[in-house]
PDB file of all heavy atoms in Angstrom:
ATOM      1  N   VAL A   1      20.050 -18.378   0.485  1.00 95.00           N
ATOM      2  CA  VAL A   1      19.358 -17.303  -0.167  1.00 95.00           C
ATOM      3  C   VAL A   1      19.430 -17.374  -1.636  1.00 95.00           C
ATOM      4  O   VAL A   1      18.422 -17.278  -2.397  1.00 95.00           O
ATOM      5  CB  VAL A   1      19.927 -15.875   0.321  1.00 95.00           C
ATOM      6  CG1 VAL A   1      19.304 -14.739  -0.512  1.00 95.00           C
ATOM      7  CG2 VAL A   1      19.600 -15.665   1.804  1.00 95.00           C
ATOM      8  N   ARG A   2      20.650 -17.697  -2.140  1.00 93.00           N
ATOM      9  CA  ARG A   2      20.807 -17.803  -3.606  1.00 93.00           C
ATOM     10  C   ARG A   2      20.121 -19.125  -4.168  1.00 93.00           C
ATOM     11  O   ARG A   2      19.438 -19.069  -5.215  1.00 93.00           O
ATOM     12  CB  ARG A   2      22.301 -17.793  -3.934  1.00 93.00           C
ATOM     13  CG  ARG A   2      22.667 -17.904  -5.403  1.00 93.00           C
ATOM     14  CD  ARG A   2      24.066 -17.937  -5.751  1.00 93.00           C
ATOM     15  NE  ARG A   2      24.819 -19.049  -5.124  1.00 93.00           N
ATOM     16  CZ  ARG A   2      25.587 -18.990  -4.112  1.00 93.00           C
ATOM     17  NH1 ARG A   2      25.707 -17.858  -3.526  1.00 93.00           N
ATOM     18  NH2 ARG A   2      26.157 -20.171  -3.717  1.00 93.00           N
ATOM     19  N   ASN A   3      20.277 -20.233  -3.546  1.00 94.00           N
ATOM     20  CA  ASN A   3      19.820 -21.487  -4.039  1.00 94.00           C
ATOM     21  C   ASN A   3      18.229 -21.600  -3.970  1.00 94.00           C
ATOM     22  O   ASN A   3      17.668 -22.269  -4.841  1.00 94.00           O
ATOM     23  CB  ASN A   3      20.414 -22.647  -3.420  1.00 94.00           C
ATOM     24  CG  ASN A   3      21.965 -22.792  -3.595  1.00 94.00           C
ATOM     25  OD1 ASN A   3      22.544 -22.178  -4.576  1.00 94.00           O
ATOM     26  ND2 ASN A   3      22.659 -23.365  -2.675  1.00 94.00           N
ATOM     27  N   HIS A   4      17.625 -21.062  -2.846  1.00 94.00           N
ATOM     28  CA  HIS A   4      16.237 -21.207  -2.704  1.00 94.00           C
ATOM     29  C   HIS A   4      15.398 -19.906  -3.020  1.00 94.00           C
ATOM     30  O   HIS A   4      14.255 -19.936  -2.855  1.00 94.00           O
ATOM     31  CB  HIS A   4      15.943 -21.611  -1.267  1.00 94.00           C
ATOM     32  CG  HIS A   4      16.504 -22.960  -0.926  1.00 94.00           C
ATOM     33  ND1 HIS A   4      15.758 -24.076  -1.207  1.00 94.00           N
ATOM     34  CD2 HIS A   4      17.628 -23.354  -0.411  1.00 94.00           C
ATOM     35  CE1 HIS A   4      16.490 -25.235  -0.777  1.00 94.00           C
ATOM     36  NE2 HIS A   4      17.648 -24.727  -0.299  1.00 94.00           N
ATOM     37  N   ASP A   5      16.119 -18.852  -3.414  1.00 94.00           N
ATOM     38  CA  ASP A   5      15.554 -17.590  -3.718  1.00 94.00           C
ATOM     39  C   ASP A   5      14.694 -17.081  -2.547  1.00 94.00           C
ATOM     40  O   ASP A   5      13.535 -16.607  -2.676  1.00 94.00           O
ATOM     41  CB  ASP A   5      14.590 -17.657  -5.006  1.00 94.00           C
ATOM     42  CG  ASP A   5      14.199 -16.255  -5.598  1.00 94.00           C
ATOM     43  OD1 ASP A   5      15.114 -15.417  -5.465  1.00 94.00           O
ATOM     44  OD2 ASP A   5      13.140 -16.120  -6.140  1.00 94.00           O
ATOM     45  N   MET A   6      15.174 -17.222  -1.390  1.00 95.00           N
ATOM     46  CA  MET A   6      14.422 -16.808  -0.148  1.00 95.00           C
ATOM     47  C   MET A   6      14.969 -15.512   0.336  1.00 95.00           C
ATOM     48  O   MET A   6      16.019 -14.944  -0.112  1.00 95.00           O
ATOM     49  CB  MET A   6      14.596 -17.809   0.920  1.00 95.00           C
ATOM     50  CG  MET A   6      15.973 -18.003   1.621  1.00 95.00           C
ATOM     51  SD  MET A   6      16.062 -18.916   3.013  1.00 95.00           S
ATOM     52  CE  MET A   6      15.533 -20.458   2.476  1.00 95.00           C
ATOM     53  N   ALA A   7      14.136 -14.773   1.103  1.00 97.00           N
ATOM     54  CA  ALA A   7      14.576 -13.483   1.724  1.00 97.00           C
ATOM     55  C   ALA A   7      15.167 -13.793   3.068  1.00 97.00           C
ATOM     56  O   ALA A   7      14.658 -14.635   3.855  1.00 97.00           O
ATOM     57  CB  ALA A   7      13.393 -12.631   1.797  1.00 97.00           C
ATOM     58  N   LEU A   8      16.240 -13.092   3.395  1.00 97.00           N
ATOM     59  CA  LEU A   8      16.898 -13.138   4.671  1.00 97.00           C
ATOM     60  C   LEU A   8      16.934 -11.883   5.381  1.00 97.00           C
ATOM     61  O   LEU A   8      17.399 -10.885   4.881  1.00 97.00           O
ATOM     62  CB  LEU A   8      18.374 -13.795   4.562  1.00 97.00           C
ATOM     63  CG  LEU A   8      19.326 -13.855   5.764  1.00 97.00           C
ATOM     64  CD1 LEU A   8      18.645 -14.720   6.757  1.00 97.00           C
ATOM     65  CD2 LEU A   8      20.639 -14.288   5.349  1.00 97.00           C
ATOM     66  N   ALA A   9      16.504 -11.823   6.748  1.00 97.00           N
ATOM     67  CA  ALA A   9      16.724 -10.751   7.523  1.00 97.00           C
ATOM     68  C   ALA A   9      17.854 -11.118   8.477  1.00 97.00           C
ATOM     69  O   ALA A   9      17.767 -12.059   9.358  1.00 97.00           O
ATOM     70  CB  ALA A   9      15.447 -10.448   8.273  1.00 97.00           C
ATOM     71  N   PHE A  10      18.961 -10.429   8.401  1.00 96.00           N
ATOM     72  CA  PHE A  10      20.189 -10.701   9.198  1.00 96.00           C
ATOM     73  C   PHE A  10      20.333  -9.633  10.341  1.00 96.00           C
ATOM     74  O   PHE A  10      20.609  -8.501  10.043  1.00 96.00           O
ATOM     75  CB  PHE A  10      21.354 -10.683   8.293  1.00 96.00           C
ATOM     76  CG  PHE A  10      22.713 -11.101   8.950  1.00 96.00           C
ATOM     77  CD1 PHE A  10      22.939 -12.473   9.223  1.00 96.00           C
ATOM     78  CD2 PHE A  10      23.615 -10.185   9.241  1.00 96.00           C
ATOM     79  CE1 PHE A  10      24.123 -12.919   9.896  1.00 96.00           C
ATOM     80  CE2 PHE A  10      24.794 -10.600  10.019  1.00 96.00           C
ATOM     81  CZ  PHE A  10      25.114 -11.876  10.223  1.00 96.00           C
ATOM     82  N   ILE A  11      20.083 -10.058  11.498  1.00 95.00           N
ATOM     83  CA  ILE A  11      20.203  -9.115  12.714  1.00 95.00           C
ATOM     84  C   ILE A  11      21.553  -9.225  13.280  1.00 95.00           C
ATOM     85  O   ILE A  11      22.061 -10.319  13.577  1.00 95.00           O
ATOM     86  CB  ILE A  11      19.148  -9.562  13.707  1.00 95.00           C
ATOM     87  CG1 ILE A  11      17.791  -9.907  13.118  1.00 95.00           C
ATOM     88  CG2 ILE A  11      18.965  -8.421  14.699  1.00 95.00           C
ATOM     89  CD1 ILE A  11      17.108  -8.803  12.417  1.00 95.00           C
ATOM     90  N   THR A  12      22.203  -7.984  13.483  1.00 92.00           N
ATOM     91  CA  THR A  12      23.494  -7.997  14.047  1.00 92.00           C
ATOM     92  C   THR A  12      23.821  -6.684  14.594  1.00 92.00           C
ATOM     93  O   THR A  12      23.226  -5.692  14.279  1.00 92.00           O
ATOM     94  CB  THR A  12      24.580  -8.364  12.901  1.00 92.00           C
ATOM     95  OG1 THR A  12      25.914  -8.472  13.467  1.00 92.00           O
ATOM     96  CG2 THR A  12      24.657  -7.342  11.815  1.00 92.00           C
ATOM     97  N   HIS A  13      24.778  -6.725  15.519  1.00 89.00           N
ATOM     98  CA  HIS A  13      25.326  -5.438  16.122  1.00 89.00           C
ATOM     99  C   HIS A  13      26.710  -5.069  15.492  1.00 89.00           C
ATOM    100  O   HIS A  13      27.303  -4.030  15.616  1.00 89.00           O
ATOM    101  CB  HIS A  13      25.513  -5.501  17.597  1.00 89.00           C
ATOM    102  CG  HIS A  13      26.555  -6.496  18.061  1.00 89.00           C
ATOM    103  ND1 HIS A  13      26.211  -7.929  18.169  1.00 89.00           N
ATOM    104  CD2 HIS A  13      27.831  -6.380  18.239  1.00 89.00           C
ATOM    105  CE1 HIS A  13      27.308  -8.548  18.484  1.00 89.00           C
ATOM    106  NE2 HIS A  13      28.367  -7.667  18.628  1.00 89.00           N
ATOM    107  N   ASP A  14      27.221  -6.128  14.654  1.00 86.00           N
ATOM    108  CA  ASP A  14      28.578  -5.937  14.182  1.00 86.00           C
ATOM    109  C   ASP A  14      28.581  -5.493  12.621  1.00 86.00           C
ATOM    110  O   ASP A  14      28.289  -6.338  11.799  1.00 86.00           O
ATOM    111  CB  ASP A  14      29.221  -7.303  14.356  1.00 86.00           C
ATOM    112  CG  ASP A  14      30.740  -7.307  13.930  1.00 86.00           C
ATOM    113  OD1 ASP A  14      31.251  -6.251  13.397  1.00 86.00           O
ATOM    114  OD2 ASP A  14      31.448  -8.242  14.191  1.00 86.00           O
ATOM    115  N   LEU A  15      28.939  -4.332  12.342  1.00 86.00           N
ATOM    116  CA  LEU A  15      28.881  -3.844  10.977  1.00 86.00           C
ATOM    117  C   LEU A  15      29.933  -4.488  10.162  1.00 86.00           C
ATOM    118  O   LEU A  15      29.854  -4.425   8.901  1.00 86.00           O
ATOM    119  CB  LEU A  15      29.097  -2.265  10.973  1.00 86.00           C
ATOM    120  CG  LEU A  15      27.767  -1.573  10.828  1.00 86.00           C
ATOM    121  CD1 LEU A  15      28.046  -0.008  10.957  1.00 86.00           C
ATOM    122  CD2 LEU A  15      27.056  -1.832   9.587  1.00 86.00           C
ATOM    123  N   SER A  16      30.947  -5.112  10.783  1.00 84.00           N
ATOM    124  CA  SER A  16      32.037  -5.721   9.920  1.00 84.00           C
ATOM    125  C   SER A  16      31.433  -6.915   9.163  1.00 84.00           C
ATOM    126  O   SER A  16      32.089  -7.296   8.201  1.00 84.00           O
ATOM    127  CB  SER A  16      33.202  -6.224  10.834  1.00 84.00           C
ATOM    128  OG  SER A  16      32.715  -7.212  11.753  1.00 84.00           O
ATOM    129  N   LEU A  17      30.266  -7.491   9.579  1.00 89.00           N
ATOM    130  CA  LEU A  17      29.738  -8.644   8.909  1.00 89.00           C
ATOM    131  C   LEU A  17      28.826  -8.191   7.803  1.00 89.00           C
ATOM    132  O   LEU A  17      28.487  -8.958   6.902  1.00 89.00           O
ATOM    133  CB  LEU A  17      28.956  -9.407   9.900  1.00 89.00           C
ATOM    134  CG  LEU A  17      29.706 -10.046  11.155  1.00 89.00           C
ATOM    135  CD1 LEU A  17      28.682 -10.731  11.999  1.00 89.00           C
ATOM    136  CD2 LEU A  17      30.819 -10.891  10.648  1.00 89.00           C
ATOM    137  N   VAL A  18      28.453  -6.893   7.794  1.00 88.00           N
ATOM    138  CA  VAL A  18      27.421  -6.490   6.821  1.00 88.00           C
ATOM    139  C   VAL A  18      27.856  -6.455   5.350  1.00 88.00           C
ATOM    140  O   VAL A  18      27.119  -7.061   4.426  1.00 88.00           O
ATOM    141  CB  VAL A  18      27.037  -5.026   7.096  1.00 88.00           C
ATOM    142  CG1 VAL A  18      26.283  -4.363   6.000  1.00 88.00           C
ATOM    143  CG2 VAL A  18      26.172  -4.951   8.468  1.00 88.00           C
ATOM    144  N   GLY A  19      29.177  -6.107   5.070  1.00 86.00           N
ATOM    145  CA  GLY A  19      29.611  -6.133   3.757  1.00 86.00           C
ATOM    146  C   GLY A  19      29.838  -7.626   3.225  1.00 86.00           C
ATOM    147  O   GLY A  19      29.915  -7.825   2.017  1.00 86.00           O
ATOM    148  N   LEU A  20      29.903  -8.600   4.199  1.00 88.00           N
ATOM    149  CA  LEU A  20      30.099 -10.002   3.651  1.00 88.00           C
ATOM    150  C   LEU A  20      28.772 -10.666   3.177  1.00 88.00           C
ATOM    151  O   LEU A  20      28.847 -11.577   2.427  1.00 88.00           O
ATOM    152  CB  LEU A  20      30.727 -10.721   4.813  1.00 88.00           C
ATOM    153  CG  LEU A  20      32.064 -10.365   5.379  1.00 88.00           C
ATOM    154  CD1 LEU A  20      32.503 -11.208   6.578  1.00 88.00           C
ATOM    155  CD2 LEU A  20      33.137 -10.426   4.345  1.00 88.00           C
ATOM    156  N   ILE A  21      27.685 -10.227   3.762  1.00 92.00           N
ATOM    157  CA  ILE A  21      26.466 -11.035   3.430  1.00 92.00           C
ATOM    158  C   ILE A  21      25.332 -10.115   3.007  1.00 92.00           C
ATOM    159  O   ILE A  21      24.369 -10.661   2.235  1.00 92.00           O
ATOM    160  CB  ILE A  21      26.092 -11.842   4.687  1.00 92.00           C
ATOM    161  CG1 ILE A  21      24.956 -12.762   4.371  1.00 92.00           C
ATOM    162  CG2 ILE A  21      25.786 -10.953   5.846  1.00 92.00           C
ATOM    163  CD1 ILE A  21      24.644 -13.755   5.436  1.00 92.00           C
ATOM    164  N   CYS A  22      25.239  -8.815   3.371  1.00 95.00           N
ATOM    165  CA  CYS A  22      24.045  -8.106   3.183  1.00 95.00           C
ATOM    166  C   CYS A  22      23.934  -7.366   1.833  1.00 95.00           C
ATOM    167  O   CYS A  22      25.020  -6.836   1.399  1.00 95.00           O
ATOM    168  CB  CYS A  22      23.823  -7.041   4.334  1.00 95.00           C
ATOM    169  SG  CYS A  22      23.565  -7.868   5.947  1.00 95.00           S
ATOM    170  N   ASP A  23      22.826  -7.287   1.253  1.00 95.00           N
ATOM    171  CA  ASP A  23      22.603  -6.422   0.088  1.00 95.00           C
ATOM    172  C   ASP A  23      22.230  -5.070   0.386  1.00 95.00           C
ATOM    173  O   ASP A  23      22.587  -4.031  -0.213  1.00 95.00           O
ATOM    174  CB  ASP A  23      21.471  -6.983  -0.809  1.00 95.00           C
ATOM    175  CG  ASP A  23      21.907  -8.413  -1.285  1.00 95.00           C
ATOM    176  OD1 ASP A  23      22.933  -8.472  -2.050  1.00 95.00           O
ATOM    177  OD2 ASP A  23      21.145  -9.419  -1.064  1.00 95.00           O
ATOM    178  N   GLU A  24      21.399  -4.895   1.571  1.00 96.00           N
ATOM    179  CA  GLU A  24      21.011  -3.580   2.062  1.00 96.00           C
ATOM    180  C   GLU A  24      20.973  -3.599   3.527  1.00 96.00           C
ATOM    181  O   GLU A  24      20.973  -4.716   4.148  1.00 96.00           O
ATOM    182  CB  GLU A  24      19.574  -3.226   1.482  1.00 96.00           C
ATOM    183  CG  GLU A  24      18.533  -4.148   1.837  1.00 96.00           C
ATOM    184  CD  GLU A  24      17.171  -3.687   1.209  1.00 96.00           C
ATOM    185  OE1 GLU A  24      16.738  -2.571   1.439  1.00 96.00           O
ATOM    186  OE2 GLU A  24      16.508  -4.534   0.530  1.00 96.00           O
ATOM    187  N   VAL A  25      21.029  -2.417   4.130  1.00 96.00           N
ATOM    188  CA  VAL A  25      21.170  -2.339   5.555  1.00 96.00           C
ATOM    189  C   VAL A  25      20.199  -1.292   6.197  1.00 96.00           C
ATOM    190  O   VAL A  25      20.002  -0.271   5.528  1.00 96.00           O
ATOM    191  CB  VAL A  25      22.651  -1.905   5.990  1.00 96.00           C
ATOM    192  CG1 VAL A  25      22.659  -1.711   7.473  1.00 96.00           C
ATOM    193  CG2 VAL A  25      23.558  -2.941   5.425  1.00 96.00           C
ATOM    194  N   ALA A  26      19.623  -1.691   7.241  1.00 96.00           N
ATOM    195  CA  ALA A  26      18.781  -0.779   8.045  1.00 96.00           C
ATOM    196  C   ALA A  26      19.334  -0.530   9.413  1.00 96.00           C
ATOM    197  O   ALA A  26      19.682  -1.546  10.164  1.00 96.00           O
ATOM    198  CB  ALA A  26      17.383  -1.290   8.230  1.00 96.00           C
ATOM    199  N   VAL A  27      19.814   0.664   9.752  1.00 95.00           N
ATOM    200  CA  VAL A  27      20.472   0.988  11.020  1.00 95.00           C
ATOM    201  C   VAL A  27      19.360   1.417  12.024  1.00 95.00           C
ATOM    202  O   VAL A  27      18.684   2.513  11.732  1.00 95.00           O
ATOM    203  CB  VAL A  27      21.572   2.026  10.792  1.00 95.00           C
ATOM    204  CG1 VAL A  27      22.272   2.336  12.126  1.00 95.00           C
ATOM    205  CG2 VAL A  27      22.511   1.574   9.734  1.00 95.00           C
ATOM    206  N   VAL A  28      19.303   0.888  13.187  1.00 95.00           N
ATOM    207  CA  VAL A  28      18.249   1.136  14.188  1.00 95.00           C
ATOM    208  C   VAL A  28      18.932   1.647  15.343  1.00 95.00           C
ATOM    209  O   VAL A  28      19.827   1.120  15.940  1.00 95.00           O
ATOM    210  CB  VAL A  28      17.409  -0.132  14.505  1.00 95.00           C
ATOM    211  CG1 VAL A  28      16.289   0.233  15.543  1.00 95.00           C
ATOM    212  CG2 VAL A  28      16.852  -0.728  13.249  1.00 95.00           C
ATOM    213  N   TYR A  29      18.456   2.812  15.800  1.00 95.00           N
ATOM    214  CA  TYR A  29      18.972   3.502  16.966  1.00 95.00           C
ATOM    215  C   TYR A  29      17.924   3.888  18.018  1.00 95.00           C
ATOM    216  O   TYR A  29      17.005   4.706  17.601  1.00 95.00           O
ATOM    217  CB  TYR A  29      19.916   4.657  16.793  1.00 95.00           C
ATOM    218  CG  TYR A  29      20.411   5.477  17.910  1.00 95.00           C
ATOM    219  CD1 TYR A  29      21.171   4.815  18.809  1.00 95.00           C
ATOM    220  CD2 TYR A  29      20.144   6.773  18.044  1.00 95.00           C
ATOM    221  CE1 TYR A  29      21.772   5.555  19.891  1.00 95.00           C
ATOM    222  CE2 TYR A  29      20.583   7.507  19.127  1.00 95.00           C
ATOM    223  CZ  TYR A  29      21.454   6.832  20.032  1.00 95.00           C
ATOM    224  OH  TYR A  29      21.974   7.600  21.019  1.00 95.00           O
ATOM    225  N   LYS A  30      17.822   3.301  19.178  1.00 92.00           N
ATOM    226  CA  LYS A  30      16.730   3.606  20.126  1.00 92.00           C
ATOM    227  C   LYS A  30      15.322   3.483  19.628  1.00 92.00           C
ATOM    228  O   LYS A  30      14.459   4.337  19.807  1.00 92.00           O
ATOM    229  CB  LYS A  30      16.988   5.047  20.779  1.00 92.00           C
ATOM    230  CG  LYS A  30      18.188   5.165  21.592  1.00 92.00           C
ATOM    231  CD  LYS A  30      18.306   6.492  22.299  1.00 92.00           C
ATOM    232  CE  LYS A  30      19.514   6.636  23.229  1.00 92.00           C
ATOM    233  NZ  LYS A  30      19.627   7.919  23.785  1.00 92.00           N
ATOM    234  N   GLY A  31      15.202   2.482  18.801  1.00 93.00           N
ATOM    235  CA  GLY A  31      13.783   2.241  18.175  1.00 93.00           C
ATOM    236  C   GLY A  31      13.608   2.918  16.918  1.00 93.00           C
ATOM    237  O   GLY A  31      12.497   2.710  16.265  1.00 93.00           O
ATOM    238  N   ASP A  32      14.424   3.847  16.511  1.00 95.00           N
ATOM    239  CA  ASP A  32      14.215   4.630  15.232  1.00 95.00           C
ATOM    240  C   ASP A  32      14.983   4.023  14.168  1.00 95.00           C
ATOM    241  O   ASP A  32      16.181   3.594  14.354  1.00 95.00           O
ATOM    242  CB  ASP A  32      14.513   6.156  15.471  1.00 95.00           C
ATOM    243  CG  ASP A  32      13.586   6.833  16.367  1.00 95.00           C
ATOM    244  OD1 ASP A  32      12.325   6.662  16.007  1.00 95.00           O
ATOM    245  OD2 ASP A  32      13.936   7.572  17.245  1.00 95.00           O
ATOM    246  N   LEU A  33      14.484   4.074  12.891  1.00 96.00           N
ATOM    247  CA  LEU A  33      15.288   3.689  11.744  1.00 96.00           C
ATOM    248  C   LEU A  33      16.004   4.941  11.335  1.00 96.00           C
ATOM    249  O   LEU A  33      15.423   5.954  10.758  1.00 96.00           O
ATOM    250  CB  LEU A  33      14.379   3.193  10.664  1.00 96.00           C
ATOM    251  CG  LEU A  33      15.019   2.817   9.359  1.00 96.00           C
ATOM    252  CD1 LEU A  33      15.941   1.640   9.640  1.00 96.00           C
ATOM    253  CD2 LEU A  33      13.966   2.440   8.373  1.00 96.00           C
ATOM    254  N   VAL A  34      17.261   5.076  11.504  1.00 95.00           N
ATOM    255  CA  VAL A  34      18.075   6.343  11.258  1.00 95.00           C
ATOM    256  C   VAL A  34      18.796   6.249   9.941  1.00 95.00           C
ATOM    257  O   VAL A  34      19.086   7.347   9.425  1.00 95.00           O
ATOM    258  CB  VAL A  34      19.162   6.536  12.402  1.00 95.00           C
ATOM    259  CG1 VAL A  34      18.508   6.715  13.778  1.00 95.00           C
ATOM    260  CG2 VAL A  34      20.222   5.462  12.483  1.00 95.00           C
ATOM    261  N   GLU A  35      18.850   5.116   9.339  1.00 95.00           N
ATOM    262  CA  GLU A  35      19.557   5.074   8.006  1.00 95.00           C
ATOM    263  C   GLU A  35      19.188   3.771   7.302  1.00 95.00           C
ATOM    264  O   GLU A  35      19.103   2.686   7.921  1.00 95.00           O
ATOM    265  CB  GLU A  35      21.030   5.182   8.124  1.00 95.00           C
ATOM    266  CG  GLU A  35      21.759   5.491   6.845  1.00 95.00           C
ATOM    267  CD  GLU A  35      23.109   6.204   7.070  1.00 95.00           C
ATOM    268  OE1 GLU A  35      23.561   6.310   8.190  1.00 95.00           O
ATOM    269  OE2 GLU A  35      23.803   6.394   6.036  1.00 95.00           O
ATOM    270  N   HIS A  36      18.966   3.758   5.999  1.00 96.00           N
ATOM    271  CA  HIS A  36      18.525   2.639   5.228  1.00 96.00           C
ATOM    272  C   HIS A  36      19.009   2.765   3.839  1.00 96.00           C
ATOM    273  O   HIS A  36      18.694   3.867   3.173  1.00 96.00           O
ATOM    274  CB  HIS A  36      16.952   2.438   5.294  1.00 96.00           C
ATOM    275  CG  HIS A  36      16.495   1.230   4.624  1.00 96.00           C
ATOM    276  ND1 HIS A  36      15.267   1.096   4.162  1.00 96.00           N
ATOM    277  CD2 HIS A  36      17.102   0.098   4.335  1.00 96.00           C
ATOM    278  CE1 HIS A  36      15.126  -0.056   3.582  1.00 96.00           C
ATOM    279  NE2 HIS A  36      16.182  -0.649   3.659  1.00 96.00           N
ATOM    280  N   GLY A  37      19.759   1.805   3.308  1.00 94.00           N
ATOM    281  CA  GLY A  37      20.112   1.823   1.928  1.00 94.00           C
ATOM    282  C   GLY A  37      20.989   0.655   1.561  1.00 94.00           C
ATOM    283  O   GLY A  37      21.112  -0.317   2.282  1.00 94.00           O
ATOM    284  N   ALA A  38      21.660   0.684   0.372  1.00 95.00           N
ATOM    285  CA  ALA A  38      22.536  -0.397  -0.099  1.00 95.00           C
ATOM    286  C   ALA A  38      23.685  -0.456   0.899  1.00 95.00           C
ATOM    287  O   ALA A  38      24.260   0.488   1.421  1.00 95.00           O
ATOM    288  CB  ALA A  38      23.052  -0.078  -1.496  1.00 95.00           C
ATOM    289  N   ALA A  39      24.172  -1.665   1.110  1.00 93.00           N
ATOM    290  CA  ALA A  39      25.122  -2.042   2.113  1.00 93.00           C
ATOM    291  C   ALA A  39      26.406  -1.319   1.969  1.00 93.00           C
ATOM    292  O   ALA A  39      26.945  -0.632   2.747  1.00 93.00           O
ATOM    293  CB  ALA A  39      25.395  -3.603   2.229  1.00 93.00           C
ATOM    294  N   LEU A  40      26.927  -1.440   0.682  1.00 91.00           N
ATOM    295  CA  LEU A  40      28.170  -0.768   0.369  1.00 91.00           C
ATOM    296  C   LEU A  40      28.112   0.682   0.430  1.00 91.00           C
ATOM    297  O   LEU A  40      29.118   1.492   0.898  1.00 91.00           O
ATOM    298  CB  LEU A  40      28.741  -1.173  -1.047  1.00 91.00           C
ATOM    299  CG  LEU A  40      29.054  -2.680  -1.158  1.00 91.00           C
ATOM    300  CD1 LEU A  40      29.539  -2.993  -2.586  1.00 91.00           C
ATOM    301  CD2 LEU A  40      30.132  -3.051  -0.024  1.00 91.00           C
ATOM    302  N   ASP A  41      26.994   1.329   0.039  1.00 92.00           N
ATOM    303  CA  ASP A  41      26.837   2.778   0.122  1.00 92.00           C
ATOM    304  C   ASP A  41      26.823   3.235   1.649  1.00 92.00           C
ATOM    305  O   ASP A  41      27.542   4.246   1.971  1.00 92.00           O
ATOM    306  CB  ASP A  41      25.490   3.239  -0.426  1.00 92.00           C
ATOM    307  CG  ASP A  41      25.469   3.103  -1.989  1.00 92.00           C
ATOM    308  OD1 ASP A  41      26.626   3.051  -2.577  1.00 92.00           O
ATOM    309  OD2 ASP A  41      24.418   3.197  -2.588  1.00 92.00           O
ATOM    310  N   ILE A  42      26.239   2.459   2.509  1.00 92.00           N
ATOM    311  CA  ILE A  42      26.201   2.914   3.962  1.00 92.00           C
ATOM    312  C   ILE A  42      27.641   2.648   4.507  1.00 92.00           C
ATOM    313  O   ILE A  42      28.106   3.487   5.321  1.00 92.00           O
ATOM    314  CB  ILE A  42      25.185   2.088   4.686  1.00 92.00           C
ATOM    315  CG1 ILE A  42      23.729   2.659   4.316  1.00 92.00           C
ATOM    316  CG2 ILE A  42      25.339   2.183   6.159  1.00 92.00           C
ATOM    317  CD1 ILE A  42      22.613   1.960   5.021  1.00 92.00           C
ATOM    318  N   LEU A  43      28.270   1.678   4.138  1.00 90.00           N
ATOM    319  CA  LEU A  43      29.612   1.322   4.735  1.00 90.00           C
ATOM    320  C   LEU A  43      30.626   2.420   4.261  1.00 90.00           C
ATOM    321  O   LEU A  43      31.541   2.851   4.907  1.00 90.00           O
ATOM    322  CB  LEU A  43      30.055  -0.013   4.344  1.00 90.00           C
ATOM    323  CG  LEU A  43      29.444  -1.181   5.018  1.00 90.00           C
ATOM    324  CD1 LEU A  43      29.960  -2.461   4.394  1.00 90.00           C
ATOM    325  CD2 LEU A  43      29.686  -1.157   6.505  1.00 90.00           C
TER     326      LEU A  43
END
């Protein structure tokens, strides 16, 4: 992401990984987007 200036969508069920790699987070529950914001703010 840094070297090629590309965008990355990182799909996971494990929130422990979010703080290591993500800039922002979208939380999905039963098909609904229930929360969306900066990764550290949501954590």
Side-chain angles (χ1 to χ4, degrees):
V1 171
R2 182 179 64 252
N3 297 337
H4 295 274
D5 197 33
M6 69 171 61
L8 172 63
F10 183 77
I11 318 296
T12 184
H13 66 274
D14 189 353
L15 263 176
S16 65
L17 303 176
V18 165
L20 299 175
I21 188 172
C22 298
D23 299 299
E24 56 182 312
V25 176
V27 182
V28 182
Y29 177 60
K30 291 185 177 180
D32 288 313
L33 181 62
V34 298
E35 197 160 358
H36 183 203
L40 292 181
D41 287 344
I42 287 182
L43 288 175

